[in-house]
């Protein structure tokens, strides 16, 4: 009887000696995985906030800014619940202030346009990152897939609008340098880019403007060709 009890105790102790190290290793791995996931979420959110800051109001609507800021604040709340501290979490007060100013219409609107290839690359990279993050947003913080799709459409349009602005700037320079055919080609490219975003309300105004620019160049080309023909006669 005693030997049976001793065997049982020995087996139990042996099992515990095997179990606890494995349990603690598993727990450490889970903690490490959790830290990595929280760190990744924090870093991605910080990058999203940076993208938001560098994109001109011309390319990002007030509603989209509010949408993204509210998402970022929901991430901070999640990180706080997990007792995770980071540089991004420390920006909570700044995000709250910016969001409040946006909702009250107190933020200064800056509608700078892309004027160089370097600026276009920077803006489009920021918009591409923003697009990926919006696509990956879950409904866990209280928005539907329809709202997410709406902002995806707006960010895509912003991407096209930035390209349109650079093309128009280049076309104007070509026109001023008497390179009207090249200017016409770029205006038409800009029109094509914007027409692909017909579901966005603002695109209709841009289409009308671009069509007017194209007509202006076509008239100038027609006049130039007529003069050339008269000289030949």
């Amino acid at each position: 009887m005693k030997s049976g009890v001793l065997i049982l105790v020995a087996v139990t102790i042996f099992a515990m000696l095997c179990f606890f190290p494995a349990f603690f290793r598993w727990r450490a791995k889970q903690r490490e995985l959790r830290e990595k996931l929280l760190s990744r979420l924090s870093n991605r959110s910080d990058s999203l906030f940076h993208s938001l800051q560098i994109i001109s109001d011309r390319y990002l609507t007030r509603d989209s800014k509010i949408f993204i800021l509210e998402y970022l604040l929901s991430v901070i709340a999640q990180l706080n619940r997990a007792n995770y501290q980071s540089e991004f979490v420390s920006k909570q007060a700044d995000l709250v202030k910016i969001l409040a100013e946006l909702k009250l219409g107190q933020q200064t609107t800056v509608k700078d346009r892309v004027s160089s290839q370097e600026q276009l690359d920077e803006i489009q990279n920021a918009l591409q990152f923003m697009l990926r993050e919006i696509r990956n947003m879950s409904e866990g913080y209280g928005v539907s897939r329809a709202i997410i799709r709406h902002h995806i459409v707006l960010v895509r349009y912003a991407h096209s609008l930035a390209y349109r602005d650079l093309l128009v700037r280049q076309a104007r320079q070509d026109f001023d340098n008497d390179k009207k055919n090249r200017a016409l080609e770029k205006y038409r490219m800009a029109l094509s880019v914007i027409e692909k975003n017909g579901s966005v309300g603002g695109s209709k105004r841009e289409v009308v403007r671009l069509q007017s620019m194209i007509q202006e160049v076509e008239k100038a080309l027609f006049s130039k060709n007529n003069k050339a023909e008269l000289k030949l006669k």
Side-chain angles (χ1 to χ4, degrees), residues 62-157:
R62 174 177 167 273
D63 286 347
S64 288
K65 282 191 169 186
I66 289 173
F67 169 75
I68 291 169
L69 284 167
E70 287 178 341
Y71 166 74
L72 291 175
L73 285 169
S74 77
V75 170
I76 288 177
Q78 180 182 341
L79 294 172
N80 281 331
R81 286 194 298 271
N83 293 318
Y84 183 84
Q85 295 300 315
S86 67
E87 185 180 348
F88 171 65
V89 173
S90 69
K91 296 175 182 177
Q92 181 174 5
D94 293 335
L95 268 71
V96 170
K97 181 183 176 184
I98 294 169
L99 179 60
E101 289 175 349
L102 274 171
K103 287 184 173 181
L104 293 171
Q106 294 176 346
Q107 265 217 333
T108 304
T109 302
V110 180
K111 293 196 173 184
D112 293 338
R113 300 188 181 207
V114 166
S115 59
S116 68
Q117 185 62 50
E118 290 75 17
Q119 283 185 343
L120 178 65
D121 291 342
E122 182 184 31
I123 294 298
Q124 288 193 330
N125 286 338
L127 287 166
Q128 281 293 111
F129 179 78
M130 189 175 287
L131 195 59
R132 287 196 301 271
E133 290 303 301
I134 293 175
R135 280 179 179 147
N136 292 331
M137 285 180 188
S138 67
E139 298 178 22
Y141 80 107
V143 294
S144 66
R145 295 305 301 176
I147 292 175
I148 290 175
R149 283 195 297 271
H150 169 69
H151 290 289
I152 286 174
V153 169
L154 292 178
V155 173
R156 281 177 178 160
Y157 176 62

Side-chain angles (χ1 to χ4, degrees), residues 15-226:
M16 290 175 67
L17 289 173
C18 293
F19 170 76
F20 280 114
F23 171 75
F24 287 123
R25 283 196 301 272
W26 173 82
R27 190 173 178 182
K29 284 183 179 179
Q30 290 298 110
R31 190 181 296 114
E32 183 183 353
L33 177 61
R34 174 178 172 274
E35 287 295 310
K36 283 182 179 179
L37 290 173
L38 292 172
S39 175
R40 191 181 306 162
L41 178 61
S42 177
N43 291 337
R44 285 203 335 260
S45 298
D46 200 24
S47 296
L48 181 57
F49 182 44
H50 175 68
S51 296
L52 188 67
Q53 289 177 303
I54 67 173
I55 296 172
S56 164
D57 292 318
R58 170 162 172 77
Y59 306 120
L60 206 58
T61 66
R62 174 177 167 273
D63 286 347
S64 288
K65 282 191 169 186
I66 289 173
F67 169 75
I68 291 169
L69 284 167
E70 287 178 341
Y71 166 74
L72 291 175
L73 285 169
S74 77
V75 170
I76 288 177
Q78 180 182 341
L79 294 172
N80 281 331
R81 286 194 298 271
N83 293 318
Y84 183 84
Q85 295 300 315
S86 67
E87 185 180 348
F88 171 65
V89 173
S90 69
K91 296 175 182 177
Q92 181 174 5
D94 293 335
L95 268 71
V96 170
K97 181 183 176 184
I98 294 169
L99 179 60
E101 289 175 349
L102 274 171
K103 287 184 173 181
L104 293 171
Q106 294 176 346
Q107 265 217 333
T108 304
T109 302
V110 180
K111 293 196 173 184
D112 293 338
R113 300 188 181 207
V114 166
S115 59
S116 68
Q117 185 62 50
E118 290 75 17
Q119 283 185 343
L120 178 65
D121 291 342
E122 182 184 31
I123 294 298
Q124 288 193 330
N125 286 338
L127 287 166
Q128 281 293 111
F129 179 78
M130 189 175 287
L131 195 59
R132 287 196 301 271
E133 290 303 301
I134 293 175
R135 280 179 179 147
N136 292 331
M137 285 180 188
S138 67
E139 298 178 22
Y141 80 107
V143 294
S144 66
R145 295 305 301 176
I147 292 175
I148 290 175
R149 283 195 297 271
H150 169 69
H151 290 289
I152 286 174
V153 169
L154 292 178
V155 173
R156 281 177 178 160
Y157 176 62
H159 193 277
S160 298
L161 189 60
Y163 184 38
R164 171 264 183 218
D165 284 348
L166 182 61
L167 285 170
V168 166
R169 182 180 179 84
Q170 292 173 343
R172 283 173 178 158
Q173 290 171 345
D174 288 337
F175 186 85
D176 292 340
N177 292 326
D178 202 26
K179 297 175 181 177
K180 294 182 177 61
N181 283 314
R182 189 185 296 179
L184 182 60
E185 181 183 349
K186 286 177 180 174
Y187 279 132
R188 285 174 174 169
M189 284 175 62
L191 178 61
S192 174
V193 166
I194 295 300
E195 283 180 333
K196 292 175 183 176
N197 297 269
S199 62
V200 179
S203 68
K204 294 176 177 61
R205 291 192 301 273
E206 292 296 337
V207 165
V208 171
R209 288 173 189 155
L210 288 165
Q211 287 173 338
S212 176
M213 294 173 190
I214 289 169
Q215 288 172 3
E216 181 184 344
V217 179
E218 286 175 338
K219 285 178 183 177
L221 277 171
F222 180 74
S223 174
K224 182 180 179 180
N225 290 338
N226 277 350

